């Protein structure tokens, strides 16, 4: 086995692990994860269910194809290329779903892409910048739109610029500036709670005096 950039592969066979699920004797392709786990899969399943594996780059039987993903990700990913019940991702956390979602997009494992997209939506409140990056790079505009307001208060302009594709940076700066323009205006308004309604109005009356006819609380 040989090493490729970004992967430290130990050539000592005693330190390799063979997947308990993907070890069919008639499998004609061997993949090895970044943490030295090997997966024996069938070429025909890759050809039918994936669009991201280049058939010309996959080496012949008896050799090993090195992948940068961890075994925990590949063991889930490869389950989606076989005609079996797919794994339930309902209880998996962000640390499991995120790398799986990126791998599904990278290798175009179509059966996994949609369920990963659905699960990633649930992490917008807790990982808005990560989700906006995922949506931006993989063409999920609804995720970008949903995450963007939350990113404003949780990440700096530099952090966002480093996370987005270059073609989106100008749009983000304009969006960010629009929020900065709104904040001073919002601070000049108060919510007034009357007996039968709630009024949002300027903190000063028409003559420049504070309202005194209602109980006010700052927004």
């Amino acid at each position: 086995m040989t090493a490729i950039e970004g992967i430290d592969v130990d050539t000592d066979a005693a330190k390799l692990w063979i997947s308990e699920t993907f070890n069919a004797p008639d499998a004609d392709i061997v993949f090895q994860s970044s943490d030295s786990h090997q997966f024996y899969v069938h070429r025909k399943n890759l050809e039918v269910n994936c669009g991201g594996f280049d058939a010309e780059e996959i080496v012949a039987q008896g050799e090993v194809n090195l992948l940068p993903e961890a075994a925990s990700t590949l063991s889930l990913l490869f389950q989606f290329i076989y005609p079996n019940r797919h794994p339930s991702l309902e209880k998996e956390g962000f640390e499991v779903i995120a790398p799986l979602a990126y791998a599904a997009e990278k290798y175009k494992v179509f059966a996994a892409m949609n369920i990963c997209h659905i699960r990633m939506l649930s992490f917008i409140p807790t990982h808005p910048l990560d989700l906006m990056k995922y949506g931006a790079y993989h063409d999920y505009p609804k995720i970008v739109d949903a995450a963007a307001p939350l990113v404003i208060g949780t990440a700096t302009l530099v952090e966002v610029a480093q996370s987005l594709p270059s073609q989106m940076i100008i749009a983000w700066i304009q969006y960010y500036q629009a929020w900065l323009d709104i904040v001073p205006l919002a601070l000049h308004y108060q919510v007034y709670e009357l007996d039968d309604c709630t009024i949002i109005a300027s903190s000063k009356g028409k003559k420049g005096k504070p309202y005194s006819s209602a109980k006010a609380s700052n927004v």
Side-chain angles (χ1 to χ4, degrees):
M1 289 176 284
T2 58
I4 62 175
E5 184 178 359
I7 302 178
D8 183 15
V9 179
D10 194 324
T11 57
D12 185 353
K15 294 185 179 180
L16 293 176
W17 290 267
I18 306 299
S19 169
E20 295 182 359
T21 304
F22 301 98
N23 57 8
D26 62 339
D28 47 3
I29 296 177
V30 180
F31 288 109
Q32 184 169 315
S33 67
S34 60
D35 47 356
S36 301
H37 287 67
Q38 292 189 345
F39 299 82
Y40 291 72
V41 300
H42 298 85
R43 181 183 294 271
K44 62 181 180 181
N45 291 80
L46 289 177
E47 293 175 347
V48 172
N49 297 293
C50 307
F53 286 103
D54 190 337
E56 295 182 358
E57 293 183 359
I58 297 177
V59 298
Q61 184 175 8
E63 299 184 41
V64 176
N65 298 271
L66 304 177
L67 299 180
E69 289 77 22
S72 57
T73 296
L74 295 179
S75 63
L76 287 172
L77 184 71
F78 288 140
Q79 291 183 59
F80 286 93
I81 70 172
Y82 283 88
N84 299 314
R85 179 172 291 182
H86 295 159
S88 173
L89 304 177
E90 183 179 357
K91 296 182 179 180
E92 300 292 351
F94 179 79
E95 68 282 353
V96 172
I97 299 297
L100 178 61
Y102 275 97
E105 296 287 341
K106 175 182 177 181
Y107 300 117
K108 293 182 173 57
V109 182
F110 304 109
M113 288 167 62
N114 188 54
I115 185 60
C116 286
H117 166 241
I118 293 172
R119 287 292 291 116
M120 287 288 273
L121 286 169
S122 67
F123 299 114
I124 290 177
T126 54
H127 298 80
L129 181 57
D130 293 313
L131 266 294
M132 191 166 73
K133 178 180 178 180
Y134 164 76
Y137 276 97
H138 299 297
D139 194 25
Y140 294 115
K142 290 185 178 180
I143 288 184
V144 175
D145 291 344
L150 300 178
V151 171
I152 289 290
T154 58
T156 66
L157 188 59
V158 173
E159 289 172 334
V160 177
Q162 292 174 339
S163 299
L164 294 179
S166 58
Q167 66 270 21
M168 292 186 65
I169 293 178
I170 296 300
W172 175 257
I173 292 175
Q174 294 172 336
Y175 179 83
Y176 185 83
Q177 185 60 49
W179 273 90
L180 293 182
D181 293 341
I182 290 174
V183 170
L185 296 176
L187 294 177
H188 286 290
Y189 283 78
Q190 293 179 320
V191 175
Y192 293 85
E193 298 178 357
L194 303 179
D195 292 338
D196 56 350
C197 65
T198 298
I199 300 174
I200 300 177
S202 172
S203 59
K204 293 186 177 181
K206 293 182 179 180
K207 296 182 180 181
K209 296 180 180 180
Y211 288 104
S212 59
S213 59
K215 180 180 179 181
S217 59
N218 290 328
V219 176

